[in-house]
Amino acid sequence: MGFSANGKQCLLPEEALYLMECGNLQVFHQDLPLSIQDGYEKFLSANTVSLQQYQVFGHLKRLGYVVLRFDPSSESSSYARQLNLPQSRDRAGRQLKRKRSLSPAPSSTPTMEEDKCSEGEEDIKLPEPPEAQSSADEGGGRSWWMMDVLGDSDKDSGHGSKSGSSCWDFSSISFPDLGSTSREHFPSDLAPPDPSLLPGDLKVGFCDIAPWRQKINLRQVKMSANEQKREKYRRRWDVNKNREVRRCRNWAEYQELMARRKGKREGRPAHLWNREVTPLHDPTQPIKQSHRSLVSLTIKDDLVLCPLRLKDADDWRICFNVYQPNTVADFKKSNPGKPYSRMCVCSFDDPVPDLRAIKLLAYQSGDIPVVIAVVDYGDISFYTFKDFQLPTDVYP
Amino acid sequence: MEALSCGERRLGSEEEYAAPAVGVSLCDSAPLVWRMQDLRAVRAEGLVGALLGSLPRTPRQNGRLGRPLLLLPEEEGLLRERRAAAALPDRCQDWGGAELRQKHEEEEKRSFEEQSVLALEDRKLALLRAMTGAESGATSADEALRRRLQALDQNFTFPQSAMAVQLSTARAGLSYCPEARAFLQAYGPPGAEPRCDARYQVFRDLRGRGFYLTSAGKFGGDFLVYPGDPLRFHAHFIAVCVSLDESVCLLDVLAVARLGSNVKKTVLLCSPGPDARVCYTSLQWSGMI
């Protein structure tokens, strides 16, 4: 039950009402607890969850099923299923625990702000507080790289510390430019290093640079005016100024970035070509003879394949996904798996769904059976339509 | 909800001025009855309705449900006709007002004090039981328990988080308000006539004859007709409402007759006539001999 949004634990209205009826939750509005009657009147409406849908929800929850809202956009299309494309699961589900410690809620209370910077203690509050929300879990154990992102790294001058921060402050580290021709930067000798950096009793005096500079070719390069201009721009361009480059944390990532850019440039992006299912046509190659038929392809108006063109089947909508209780199958919010069935709620006053509506529901649902829950003033009956193939005799 | 005695009759039904009105509130355009006295009054009128909510003592079962009570549109129409229903206001006028909050806080404090006293007594009893249980055993443990008992009065604290709170089913504000009919607003849109269609006529007629009716969607009919309170009897009839001038397909008659015979109920074809009389035709499946 419940979901996380902006770092807070929230409940859907039907879930909150169900928990209130079970006696496990108290919802406060303007410092007063809501009664069940208030809950019914405030949470149930035609826009959110209707009374009939809540009746079905409550009935199934009391039997022990796990009932979640149906989100049509999270279902993969039948084409993707036919190709057996791996389903791209919502990334937020996996990174949830880390993400919560990063970004505070926009309307966060002051206590949450200071908790953010402290070394983590998990702080979970039971659902007693206002508006059925509990404070966010402050995740503990941030890894070293997050300090860069948060921007509160300790920049040591001179040394890089092995613990948290990994940034060297190059403005304070002096690297002498021995090849510099300008008189100001011409050091005659190098100062000896700090004795604390030297091992043992080693003593280093001043270093005379003059003989080294004689070995360097310090002659000016003869360039034309164009070349000089180009040289000036090249010196100004810094690869590190690019945002994507800055996001790379090590050399391997930088190489990946370069490979990605190359792929994009040449028309063969890696994310399309490095999978099991590759595009049919390679833009870098000429169109193959066998593919020329693709050019003259038209889409047939097939009811089963593309029923989404029928717009007026709005009355029939899948409301819930029903999963079996934990004793039968493992259920995890981050990875619910395939639901046991999908619920569509109506009443006996509504007409029987016609073939088009049934096909639309089946298409939306994929390979999971759609159960139609008919609510009759307190009684609920469940009906489902099963596909049936007439048996055919095969003559040898 | 506890089983109501069906023999309850509303007192003073002849006296119009004293007849209390049943408070009905709308939720998602469905009429719901929330207060206990209203439910009793509705049952006393002979209207069954359907319970929708979880039963507070045993919430995770579907066998017996609790408040609210959902009224059929015909039942609602009947109540309106008898001027026995009134709409409850949407929310207490001064929700969030300081007075309500203060009242709520006072109640909580009072409840907390009561519960602390009871909790202390509970602890003492538990310790006493442990002491008497260890009578035959070592006396040193006994002494420790005795000392704990004496210290209990000083050291016992009842934490606020352990307090039991009550979640009221009906809106709390209205239980503070008087039950006067004048307080409850006029029910329904002004000038709304009770439904004149076939279903309502049949309902009113059968109710007038003393039958109890509930909805019969899963039996393929309009109403289930009980000779008495549904808690005591099985339904005898499945009422299907057809208007007199409507032609019925024979296959439909066959289908509904088959259905009725399978569940051992008589199918009643009801047609309201012109002069407020209803014509009934019963179907019974019998062998052809």
Side-chain angles (χ1 to χ4, degrees), chain A residues 18-38 40-42 44-46 49-52 54-55 58-63 128 348-349 376-381 383, chain B residues 25-28 30 32 34 50-56 59-62 65 67-68 70-73 88 90-91 95-97 100-101 104 108 165-172 174 199 215-218:
Chain A
Y18 174 72
L19 284 176
M20 276 169 70
E21 287 202 295
C22 286
N24 292 349
L25 180 73
Q26 236 186 344
V27 179
F28 287 85
H29 177 62
Q30 295 175 349
D31 293 330
L32 285 173
L34 289 182
S35 63
I36 311 258
Q37 179 178 0
D38 291 319
Y40 265 78
E41 287 171 7
K42 285 200 206 302
L44 304 181
S45 74
V49 185
S50 70
L51 181 65
Q52 291 177 346
Y54 176 69
Q55 276 179 263
H59 181 93
L60 291 170
K61 290 292 291 186
R62 275 181 234 123
L63 287 174
E128 265 294 301
F348 275 115
D349 299 325
D376 173 40
Y377 297 109
D379 274 321
I380 306 177
S381 329
Y383 299 96
Chain B
S25 43
L26 287 177
C27 165
D28 190 18
L32 297 179
W34 285 95
L51 289 169
L52 297 187
S54 309
L55 200 60
R60 289 180 213 265
Q61 45 86 27
N62 277 321
L65 296 177
R67 284 181 283 164
L70 174 68
L71 296 174
L72 290 175
L88 290 178
D90 267 345
R91 38 154 57 183
W95 181 269
L100 262 186
R101 233 175 289 175
H104 169 70
E108 276 224 6
V165 289
Q166 184 187 22
L167 206 65
S168 55
T169 311
R171 195 174 300 129
L174 283 166
R199 280 181 62 128
S215 124
K218 57 183 192 278

Side-chain angles (χ1 to χ4, degrees), chain B:
Chain B
M1 192 171 93
E2 310 86 16
L4 301 170
S5 59
C6 75
E8 225 175 62
R9 277 267 153 254
R10 191 174 46 156
L11 290 170
S13 50
E14 304 86 53
E15 305 146 274
E16 279 291 277
Y17 70 92
V22 168
V24 178
S25 43
L26 287 177
C27 165
D28 190 18
S29 64
L32 297 179
V33 181
W34 285 95
R35 301 186 297 177
M36 272 315 299
Q37 63 266 38
D38 292 336
L39 268 97
R40 268 195 226 110
V42 165
R43 199 52 168 242
E45 293 260 351
L47 305 173
V48 181
L51 289 169
L52 297 187
S54 309
L55 200 60
R57 293 273 177 183
T58 45
R60 289 180 213 265
Q61 45 86 27
N62 277 321
R64 282 265 171 266
L65 296 177
R67 284 181 283 164
L69 184 81
L70 174 68
L71 296 174
L72 290 175
E74 291 81 29
E75 294 173 339
E76 187 193 342
L78 204 64
L79 282 176
R80 200 189 294 154
E81 198 183 291
R82 297 183 189 171
R83 302 269 188 277
L88 290 178
D90 267 345
R91 38 154 57 183
C92 209
Q93 273 85 338
D94 55 344
W95 181 269
E99 192 189 307
L100 262 186
R101 233 175 289 175
Q102 202 184 351
K103 229 184 267 190
H104 169 70
E105 275 170 32
E106 283 169 14
E107 279 222 22
E108 276 224 6
K109 209 163 32 157
R110 194 174 43 83
S111 162
F112 178 70
E113 282 160 17
E114 265 185 51
Q115 287 184 40
S116 331
V117 168
L118 290 171
L120 179 60
E121 283 182 23
D122 252 351
R123 277 296 273 150
K124 283 194 190 162
L125 276 174
L127 281 177
L128 275 173
R129 242 179 284 129
M131 263 173 31
T132 51
E135 240 177 63
S136 51
T139 46
S140 59
D142 223 20
E143 272 308 307
L145 284 171
R146 216 181 294 272
R147 258 179 276 124
R148 269 171 73 187
L149 194 63
Q150 274 146 11
L152 201 58
D153 277 313
Q154 288 93 8
N155 303 351
F156 183 73
T157 49
F158 185 57
Q160 187 87 16
S161 55
M163 187 177 85
V165 289
Q166 184 187 22
L167 206 65
S168 55
T169 311
R171 195 174 300 129
L174 283 166
S175 61
Y176 302 143
C177 305
E179 265 240 48
R181 181 193 290 270
F183 175 72
L184 302 164
Q185 298 162 13
Y187 186 61
E193 289 297 310
R195 288 161 44 157
C196 310
D197 57 354
R199 280 181 62 128
Y200 181 67
Q201 303 276 22
V202 170
F203 183 91
R204 200 159 50 139
D205 190 63
L206 284 172
R207 179 79 277 282
R209 290 169 194 257
F211 291 105
Y212 284 68
L213 296 122
T214 55
S215 124
K218 57 183 192 278
F219 287 95
D222 286 315
F223 300 111
L224 276 180
V225 186
Y226 296 81
D229 195 287
L231 287 170
R232 289 159 129 218
F233 298 94
H234 280 298
H236 281 184
F237 305 109
I238 304 175
V240 179
C241 303
V242 281
S243 60
L244 273 178
D245 44 10
E246 190 188 314
S247 63
V248 184
C249 172
L250 185 64
L251 291 175
D252 290 340
V253 175
L254 272 174
V256 82
R258 262 291 191 192
L259 242 170
S261 71
N262 272 351
V263 291
K264 298 196 196 28
K265 297 185 205 305
T266 309
V267 175
L268 216 55
L269 298 175
C270 320
S271 320
D275 47 352
R277 285 180 64 236
V278 185
C279 226
Y280 297 102
T281 317
S282 71
L283 299 175
Q284 252 178 324
W285 195 277
S286 63
M288 198 167 79
I289 303 247

Side-chain angles (χ1 to χ4, degrees), chain A residues 173-180 185 187 189-190 209:
Chain A
I173 302 175
S174 61
F175 284 111
D177 184 4
L178 294 186
S180 136
H185 294 139
D189 46 16
L190 284 176
I209 307 178

Side-chain angles (χ1 to χ4, degrees), chain A residues 195-206:
Chain A
S196 62
L197 295 174
L198 296 172
D201 287 336
L202 194 63
K203 278 197 184 34
V204 177
F206 282 86

Side-chain angles (χ1 to χ4, degrees), chain A residues 38-337:
Chain A
D38 291 319
Y40 265 78
E41 287 171 7
K42 285 200 206 302
F43 297 164
L44 304 181
S45 74
N47 314 340
T48 58
V49 185
S50 70
L51 181 65
Q52 291 177 346
Q53 288 174 349
Y54 176 69
Q55 276 179 263
V56 174
F57 178 86
H59 181 93
L60 291 170
K61 290 292 291 186
R62 275 181 234 123
L63 287 174
Y65 289 99
V66 178
V67 186
L68 298 177
R69 278 200 193 171
F70 175 71
D71 177 21
S73 59
S74 67
E75 296 304 313
S76 52
S77 67
S78 70
Y79 182 58
R81 263 178 270 126
Q82 268 180 325
L83 296 180
N84 258 337
L85 272 180
Q87 318 225 332
S88 60
R89 237 174 293 128
D90 192 21
R91 296 218 144 247
R94 250 182 288 152
Q95 282 184 4
L96 202 56
K97 289 202 164 53
R98 250 189 254 156
K99 228 178 171 181
R100 264 191 255 152
S101 62
L102 254 187
S103 49
S107 56
S108 58
T109 58
T111 49
M112 271 164 59
E113 286 290 327
E114 37 185 304
D115 275 348
K116 178 166 78 89
C117 296
S118 68
E119 288 290 287
E121 276 118 65
E122 303 268 347
D123 191 15
I124 306 170
K125 289 206 190 101
L126 289 170
E128 265 294 301
E131 299 291 60
Q133 285 170 349
S134 57
S135 57
D137 290 352
E138 298 301 337
R142 294 175 303 157
S143 25
W144 62 271
W145 49 267
M146 283 169 59
M147 295 195 76
D148 287 339
V149 183
L150 282 176
D152 60 347
S153 55
D154 305 314
K155 289 193 194 242
D156 281 10
S157 57
H159 331 286
S161 62
K162 287 217 173 49
S163 60
S165 56
S166 59
C167 262
W168 290 11
D169 185 20
F170 290 105
S171 53
S172 53
I173 302 175
S174 61
F175 284 111
D177 184 4
L178 294 186
S180 136
T181 48
S182 53
R183 283 286 147 180
E184 309 88 69
H185 294 139
F186 185 83
S188 53
D189 46 16
L190 284 176
D194 195 345
S196 62
L197 295 174
L198 296 172
D201 287 336
L202 194 63
K203 278 197 184 34
V204 177
F206 282 86
C207 173
D208 186 19
I209 307 178
W212 294 103
R213 284 181 63 84
Q214 278 169 3
K215 296 182 186 168
I216 300 173
N217 176 5
L218 289 173
R219 277 200 300 259
Q220 289 270 11
V221 176
K222 286 208 178 68
M223 287 189 287
S224 67
N226 268 350
E227 283 178 338
Q228 274 180 351
K229 214 190 305 180
R230 245 183 284 137
E231 182 69 21
K232 195 166 64 158
Y233 282 131
R234 200 175 61 80
R235 280 189 190 277
R236 274 213 220 118
W237 174 73
D238 185 359
V239 69
N240 288 323
K241 287 200 188 130
N242 187 314
R243 196 156 40 108
E244 284 181 329
V245 173
R246 272 225 280 259
R247 248 191 254 136
C248 301
R249 297 189 297 252
N250 49 37
W251 185 246
E253 293 192 5
Y254 181 69
Q255 281 186 317
E256 270 175 43
L257 174 66
M258 291 294 111
R260 256 193 310 215
R261 283 187 178 168
K262 179 160 174 265
K264 220 186 302 186
R265 252 197 326 263
E266 293 175 3
R268 276 184 65 119
H271 66 273
L272 282 184
W273 289 91
N274 287 356
R275 290 184 171 206
E276 306 92 43
V277 182
T278 56
L280 198 56
H281 167 60
D282 186 357
T284 54
Q285 313 287 329
I287 299 181
K288 282 200 263 196
Q289 186 62 39
S290 49
H291 295 165
R292 283 193 196 279
S293 54
L294 286 173
V295 177
S296 56
L297 198 69
T298 54
I299 298 194
K300 267 176 53 169
D301 191 346
D302 192 332
L303 196 69
V304 179
L305 278 183
C306 49
L308 290 179
R309 297 184 41 194
L310 309 158
K311 277 298 165 193
D312 54 338
D314 272 341
D315 308 323
W316 295 99
R317 217 182 289 245
I318 301 181
C319 308
F320 300 117
N321 285 344
V322 179
Y323 300 85
Q324 291 203 292
N326 254 341
T327 46
V328 179
D330 291 322
F331 176 80
K332 280 193 277 249
K333 258 196 260 183
S334 51
N335 179 17

